[in-house]
Each structure stands twice: as C-alpha cells, then as structure tokens.
Amino acid sequence: MKSSMETQEMKIQGTAATPDKTRETSPKARDAGPLKLAIVGNPNVGKSVIFNNLTGLYATVSNYPGTTVEISRGNARVGGVDFEVIDTPGAYSLLPITEEERVTRRVLLDEGVDVVVHVIDAKNVIRMLPFALQLIEAGLPVILVVNMADEAEHLGIRVDVELLEERLGIPVVLTASTTGRGMEALRRRITEFISNRGESGSELGKAGAGAVESGAELRPVYSYSDRTEKAIAAVEALLEADYPVSRRAAAIMLLNGEAEIEALVSQRERHAGEVLERVEAIAREIEGDMPFAYSLAMERQAAAAALVKGVLTRDTRPRPASAGLSGFLSRLTMNPLTGIPILILVLYFGLYRFVGGFGAGTVVDFLETAVFERWVNPFVDNLARAFIPYEAVRSLLAGDYGVITLGLRYAVAIVLPIVGSFFLVFSIIEDSGYLPRLAMLVDRVFKVIGLTGRSVIPITLGFGCGTMATLVTRTLETRRERIIATLLLALAIPCSAQLGVIMGLLAARPGTLLVWVIFVGAAFVVTGRLAAVLLPGESPSFYMELPPLRLPSVANVVSKTLARMKWYFLEIVPIFILASVLIWFGKLTGLFEVAIRLIEPLVVAMGLPPETTVAFLFGFFRRDYGAAGLYDLAKAGALSGRQLVVASIALTLFIPCIAQFSVMIKERGIAVATLIAAFAFSAAFTVGYVANLILGSLGVIM
C-alpha cells in the first residue's frame, strides 16, 4: 500500500481557473476607492514588518466590527496603484478555532480583497504551506511570500521559489523583510498581478478569484483521497449560488460544519433546508475513526510535503557560528536553571532600571518639575484667573483638579514617559523573539494557577495597559483560562504607568520594593491557584510558534513604539481628560467628598493618612491617576516608608480603572466583571491591612 505522501505525490496537478466570462472580475472596473490588499499568515512570520514596509508609520488600529480583535489598516501606493493594506491577525487555517482566525477569514471573504499576500517562514515551508493551499483552493488572489530567507540561509536551507511558483501556479517571492531584501520584488509582483487581472477578467496572475464565480471550474494544485473527493464533489453539486470562495472550498467548509458558511447557504440557496440536510448526511457517511477536519488536515500536510520535494534543499556544510549561537541562547532562555536568571536580568534592566529609573525618574522629574510646575501650570492658572470670572468654570481648567493642570500634567508629564519607555522595552523584547521563549519557560508554573504559557502574552501586555491586555485574553483557548487571566490582570498586574511610578517611588528604598513584590506576587499566585481549583473546566493544551532569536531591528522597534505611542495619545489621553472632568464634577456636586468618606475608614485601617483616600479614588478613574496621586503625596512628605509600601500594595490590588472595567464587562459579562471588581476591592484593603500589621509587629522601619 502506498503511503499518504506517495499518494499525494501522484495527485499533484497544475492550477487553473476558468470562470464565467460574462462577469467582469477586473479591479479596474471598480469605482470605489483604492484596491484592498490583505496580509495573512501564521503568528511570528514577519507580517507586521511587511505591512510597515508597504505603508510606513501611517496606520490606524481598530477593532474589527462586531469583535474585540484589533487589525491594522494603512495606505500604500504600489506601481502607481493605490491600496488599502490590511494586516490581519495571526491565523493557521481558513477553518477557524480562535476569534483571531475568524476575523482573518471574515476579512478575506467579506471585504472584497483584491490581493492576498500570504507570508510564511522560509524555515518552516512544509508546515505553513497547507494554509497557502487552502487559500488557493478557495480561489483567492494569492501571492506567496517566503519570508525570513536570511535566517533560513543561516541554517543552510535554500528555497527554489521558481519551482515552487511553477507547482503552485501563483506568484512566489523570497524576502527577508527585516533587512528590506525582496521588498522591491514583492512590489513588482503585486503590480504585475494587478496588471494581469486588468488585462483579462479570466486570469488572476496564474490563478485567482475568478474561481469563486458562478460556473467556475477550479482545478486544484492537489487532490484528496478518492473517498474525500467524492464527498466534496457531492456537496459541490448541491450548490447553485455564488459564494465568496470557490464552491470546492465552500463544500469543504460545509463538511466541517462551519456555521458561517451554513448561514450563507440558508440565505442564498433556493432549497437551503434540503441542501443542509444532504450535507449533514454526507458528512456522517465519511466520518471515520478520526474527525473529518483532522484527516483532511493530514492529507493536506502530506500534499504540502510532496509539493516541496526538490524545492527545499539543505546545505550540509557547517553552519555559521551565529546560527549555532542563536540556538544555544534559545535553549538557555527556556531552561529553568538558566532561563529564570535571564528573566530576572531582563526585568531588572528593562523594567526596574530603564522604565522605573530612567522613565519614571529622570524624564518624569524633568517634565513634572522643569516644564509643568515651573511653566505650564502657573501660566494656565494666571490665564484662568485673568479671563474666567467664574470659579466653577475656572476650576475645570486650572487649579488642583483642572483638565490641564491635573489631567494633562498626569498624562504628559508623569504617565507618557513611563508608558513610552515601557513600549520601547516591550518592542525590543518582542522583536528579539524572546517573548515566545518566556511563554515556554513559564508554562509549567502557569499551569499551577490554571493558565498556560500562552497567557504570558496578555499578562506581559498587562504591564503596558490592562485594558489592551484584557482584550488579548480572547486569544486564550478556554473560557476558564480567559476568566482567570482577566481576574489576575484586574488584581495584581500594574499597568506601565502605575508600575513606573511605584518603582520610581520605591527605588530609593530597595527594601520597600522587595516587600511590595512579595505581597503582590503572593496575591497573584494565591488568587490564581484558588481560581484554578474553584472554577470548573479542564486545563487547555499549549503550543506556540518559536521564531528564532535575533538582534532587534532598530526600524521595527521604532515603528512599533511610535505606533503604540500614537495609540496612547488617541485612546488614553482623552480618558485622562474625561477623568479630570468627572473629578471636577464630583468636587462641584459633593459626590467626591461622599466617596472619600466611605473609603476613608478602610484607608485609615491600613495605617495610612486620610488624604491617601484621594489617590485610591483617582485610581478608579485611571490606575495611573492613583499612582500619580501617590507620587504627589510622597513628594510632599506625607507618607513614611512603611506607609508608602502599604499604599503601593493596596493601590496595585485596587479595582481596575473605568476603561479596563468596561472591557471586562464586554468580554466576560457584567456579572463576572462585577464579581472580579468586588474581589479586587476587598483584596486590596485586606492585603494592605495584613501588610501593615505584619510590618508593624515585626518593627520594620523603612
């Protein structure tokens, strides 16, 4: 009996599409704006670098309609043609498992994409090619980009892109996007691709979207087993309407029970009920010992392996020292004996020294003292007194709680340098390939608290912004894991601004910083363990793409940092201003004083002066506000060393800010979000009280 790979090798064919020529498929016939180009691929293959290379820094990031998944959009001009470029979330298949994959498929099928640039890793062509085969099978206008060619060559791997292009029947480009290699070739192939479409509606390069039209005949690059092909053909024969993918791809999705395609069938087919019943019967007939989707994936993987025979060659000569060094360092970062000390060094130099010392210290001191206290605030106060006769209106802009003197000062002078320095460090870590290795390192530890190594991504992002990190929890596999991660983000993960201010306050007294780490860390572990025990559900499996370790690209780091800073200004600064208005309204109406009187006994019980209550109330509007309020109190000498560390512990564990709480409601529901907030409120004052009690009874003076 022939092996599966041998069978697939025999069935490799050419690709062609002969659509119904009565319909015009040329993009030039469209009147509405620029063409659309979507960049797709697995995570960590360099999609964002190619996106930035095509569009520059002028991109917008927003949630895809009806989801909390963010996508980037930018504009590019390639060969005299204007494009809207869409950077889709990482995906492995057109049969989605995660919300990110679902959004990627929606972009491809719903947005009328003119070019699909599919990016794969040159070191993992066989493993990533099945997704390309799916895209071709769907009749989408695909250009394959074999990226990271430089890294593959360091490992002795060579890719014959001409042979691969011949076998797949679509344009194939070899690139190393971080160095710019191959990017001009990609632009040229995009231009040729669009030009070929414009010349003939029946050809999209060598294959294309014409295959999705009524009457189209798609001859695929490969075929499945006879049993599977018969099932696909039987479902294809039932379909009469037009779909955003080829009928072959629609048939495969229906056999896999895809709800979105079933909904399209219900809308478009004249006898939808009968069609879906027949599809279900065919699916039952071919269901064997393993799920149909799994057997189909195995056949497609075997086809990919057959297709690249002769395309991939490996140089047997000794590899460059740099390649061996990269592998050696990679192993060091994932081995607990060496990985934990490396992590401590990264945290010490990245967060403690750079974010806490330079960002929250040097830069904040300069902006706070030399700029705002010396120039901006006095100027605004004098201007308000001179031109605004009404105290109520004047206090909205100037004074202790003014939009400019408080809101803008906190946002620009205190929070911005801290967030900026964190984003810079995070971009370096991200671009180096260290983050996935950190996930592998902490996977075993995270399993104790009901999470997997994949959770290190939202948890780490939480040190930048808890709101953004809560959105990213949607990528986690199970509802149980998403709830636990959301709880820990709300409770024990300080955002970059809060963390930076706290580190800046405690850095002068290393003992206080150690106490803060112990209590907050204990709250993180104990809460996570309790949640893992009490919440029902199984622990998810864990897998993650491991890109090579590399020296970060300065251009990539700068572009990512600037993009995130832009996001900060557009999304967060308005919230600071809104919080200032709410505080002003609370002061004006007396609601602020009512809230202070309610919280004050809890604050005093922790051994803190009553005026610290204001910092906690600020923390409800923005965590960074609370930390900045604590900064003002410490600067005025209102807190002793012990009081400062107790206040820092309680403020870190305090309820999440309004923005994060609203996202929690959207993601987890109002009941779960309210329970998490109530737990955080109780835990903050309980742990703060216990910390003060322990430090007092031990006679600790800081």
Side-chain angles (χ1 to χ4, degrees):
M1 182 178 291
K2 290 182 175 66
S3 69
S4 174
M5 186 175 293
E6 287 172 334
T7 303
Q8 293 292 352
E9 203 172 347
M10 292 168 58
K11 293 189 175 183
I12 296 174
Q13 306 168 19
T15 302
T18 52
D20 183 352
K21 296 184 180 181
T22 61
R23 290 180 58 182
E24 178 62 62
T25 62
S26 169
K28 291 183 180 180
R30 298 184 351 173
D31 297 325
L35 303 183
K36 288 193 176 183
L37 184 151
I39 303 175
V40 303
N42 293 184
N44 300 315
V45 294
K47 293 188 289 86
S48 296
V49 179
I50 290 175
F51 173 83
N52 291 335
N53 195 297
L54 290 174
T55 63
L57 298 177
Y58 302 101
T60 60
V61 180
S62 60
N63 289 352
Y64 196 77
T67 74
T68 56
V69 178
E70 290 184 337
I71 63 171
S72 299
R73 296 178 186 266
N75 297 315
R77 190 168 180 82
V78 181
V81 179
D82 291 325
F83 286 91
E84 179 189 10
V85 184
I86 307 169
D87 186 12
T88 64
Y92 295 91
S93 171
L94 281 180
L95 301 173
I97 297 175
T98 66
E99 185 68 10
E100 281 70 21
E101 289 183 319
R102 201 169 303 280
V103 165
T104 295
R105 189 173 75 175
R106 284 179 59 186
V107 169
L108 293 176
L109 304 192
D110 297 350
E111 295 215 10
V113 174
D114 298 284
V115 182
V116 176
V117 173
H118 179 212
V119 185
I120 65 173
D121 180 356
K123 305 183 301 300
N124 295 292
V125 173
I126 295 176
R127 184 160 52 81
M128 295 185 179
L129 197 58
F131 189 15
L133 297 182
Q134 282 186 286
L135 296 171
I136 297 169
E137 189 172 59
L140 295 168
V142 186
I143 296 176
L144 184 66
V145 174
V146 183
N147 195 31
M148 303 183 180
D150 52 342
E151 295 172 3
E153 288 162 4
H154 285 159
L155 297 173
I157 299 171
R158 298 289 185 275
V159 183
D160 187 339
V161 291
E162 289 81 8
L163 181 57
L164 184 59
E165 178 170 318
E166 180 184 333
R167 290 182 178 177
L168 293 178
I170 61 171
V172 180
V173 184
L174 190 69
T175 64
S177 58
T178 54
T179 63
R181 172 183 165 188
M183 292 307 301
E184 283 305 315
L186 174 59
R187 289 186 178 89
R188 186 173 64 252
R189 297 308 295 270
I190 292 171
T191 303
E192 293 169 358
F193 197 66
I194 290 299
S195 176
N196 288 341
R197 289 190 66 187
E199 291 170 5
S200 171
S202 63
E203 283 194 313
L204 277 169
K206 297 182 182 178
V212 308
E213 296 192 5
S214 176
E217 177 190 350
L218 180 70
R219 296 198 304 278
V221 178
Y222 65 99
S223 57
Y224 300 106
S225 64
D226 292 341
R227 186 161 171 263
T228 302
E229 285 292 341
K230 283 181 181 178
I232 294 171
V235 175
E236 276 190 86
L238 298 171
L239 304 178
E240 298 177 351
D242 294 336
Y243 293 92
V245 292
S246 68
R247 286 185 188 156
R248 178 180 177 83
I252 291 171
M253 292 180 187
L254 286 170
L255 288 169
N256 278 280
E258 281 297 311
E260 291 180 23
I261 302 298
E262 289 177 356
L264 284 177
V265 169
S266 298
Q267 295 168 10
R268 300 184 180 188
E269 296 293 342
R270 287 180 298 171
H271 308 290
E274 295 176 14
V275 171
L276 291 175
E277 285 180 12
R278 183 62 188 134
V279 169
E280 189 177 346
I282 295 170
R284 283 198 302 268
E285 288 173 12
I286 62 169
E287 195 73 42
D289 297 333
M290 63 181 68
F292 175 68
Y294 180 78
S295 61
L296 201 69
M298 291 298 97
E299 290 189 48
R300 196 179 285 121
Q301 189 68 52
L307 278 164
V308 299
K309 272 200 167 184
V311 170
L312 296 180
T313 56
R314 186 177 289 274
D315 194 342
T316 56
R317 290 175 298 179
R319 289 180 293 170
S322 58
L325 178 62
S326 176
F328 175 69
L329 291 175
S330 180
R331 290 189 294 274
L332 288 181
T333 59
M334 292 186 287
N335 186 318
L337 292 177
T338 52
I340 291 173
I342 291 172
L343 174 60
I344 291 171
L345 287 174
V346 170
L347 293 175
Y348 176 76
F349 287 104
L351 292 182
Y352 180 72
R353 294 296 299 272
F354 187 73
V355 178
F358 176 71
T362 306
V363 182
V364 167
D365 285 345
F366 171 75
L367 291 175
E368 168 87 330
T369 305
V371 177
F372 273 85
E373 288 186 1
R374 185 174 299 174
W375 298 103
V376 177
N377 282 11
F379 176 76
V380 172
D381 287 339
N382 292 333
L383 207 63
R385 280 193 295 268
F387 293 99
I388 302 176
Y390 303 104
E391 172 60 28
V393 180
R394 188 164 59 243
S395 63
L396 173 63
L397 299 175
D400 292 340
Y401 303 107
V403 168
I404 298 174
T405 51
L406 178 72
L408 203 60
R409 177 171 69 90
Y410 277 10
V412 175
I414 298 179
V415 179
L416 178 62
I418 299 166
V419 170
S421 56
F422 174 83
F423 283 157
L424 179 59
V425 170
F426 187 79
S427 296
I428 292 171
I429 292 173
E430 185 180 39
D431 206 55
S432 70
Y434 177 64
L435 205 55
R437 286 162 177 80
L438 178 58
M440 299 294 291
L441 176 67
V442 303
D443 179 57
R444 188 172 297 176
V445 175
F446 269 30
K447 279 186 167 62
V448 175
I449 56 175
L451 301 175
T452 65
R454 186 181 298 276
S455 303
V456 80
I457 306 297
I459 293 297
T460 305
L461 280 174
F463 287 104
C465 175
T467 305
M468 178 170 55
T470 304
L471 291 173
V472 176
T473 59
R474 179 167 274 213
T475 62
L476 302 181
E477 192 173 332
T478 66
R479 182 174 183 271
R480 175 175 178 263
E481 192 177 9
R482 291 192 288 269
I483 290 175
I484 294 173
T486 303
L487 168 62
L488 294 175
L489 283 168
L491 177 71
I493 304 297
C495 67
S496 59
Q498 186 185 50
L499 178 65
V501 174
I502 288 173
M503 283 189 165
L505 288 171
L506 304 181
R509 301 167 173 155
T512 60
L513 187 59
L514 179 62
V515 171
W516 176 81
V517 169
I518 290 171
F519 276 94
V520 173
F524 179 91
V525 174
V526 171
T527 301
R529 184 57 189 162
L530 285 173
V533 171
L534 296 175
L535 285 175
E538 297 180 1
S539 296
S541 56
F542 172 62
Y543 63 92
M544 177 165 279
E545 195 77 37
L546 272 184
L549 280 176
R550 61 174 77 89
L551 284 174
S553 161
V554 174
N556 292 347
V557 169
V558 170
S559 65
K560 288 178 182 179
T561 304
L562 289 176
R564 286 165 177 152
M565 294 294 287
K566 178 183 175 183
W567 168 83
Y568 171 81
F569 268 104
L570 294 178
E571 300 291 333
I572 301 303
V573 171
I575 295 176
F576 270 81
I577 294 171
L578 175 62
S580 295
V581 173
L582 292 174
I583 291 171
W584 167 80
F585 180 77
K587 291 287 290 182
L588 195 65
T589 59
L591 292 175
F592 202 72
E593 281 70 22
V594 172
I596 286 176
R597 284 197 298 272
L598 290 173
I599 300 175
E600 191 174 290
L602 298 173
V603 173
V604 173
M606 293 189 296
L608 303 177
E611 54 265 32
T612 315
T613 309
V614 176
F616 283 90
L617 200 56
F618 280 7
F620 172 68
F621 295 102
R622 285 291 302 173
R623 281 192 169 192
D624 358 44
Y625 253 35
L630 203 62
Y631 176 89
D632 283 346
L633 288 170
K635 192 175 180 182
L639 298 171
S640 67
R642 193 170 83 196
Q643 288 174 327
L644 187 59
V645 72
V646 170
S648 298
I649 291 167
L651 193 61
T652 303
L653 303 176
F654 195 56
I655 57 176
C657 66
I658 290 175
Q660 187 175 349
F661 183 66
S662 64
V663 170
M664 285 165 53
I665 292 174
K666 188 174 182 180
E667 291 292 306
R668 307 283 89 87
I670 191 167
V672 172
T674 303
L675 284 173
I676 289 175
F679 177 80
F681 183 88
S682 304
F685 291 111
T686 301
V687 176
Y689 176 81
V690 171
N692 183 58
L693 200 65
I694 291 174
L695 295 174
S697 42
L698 292 176
V700 176
I701 300 174
M702 295 179 172

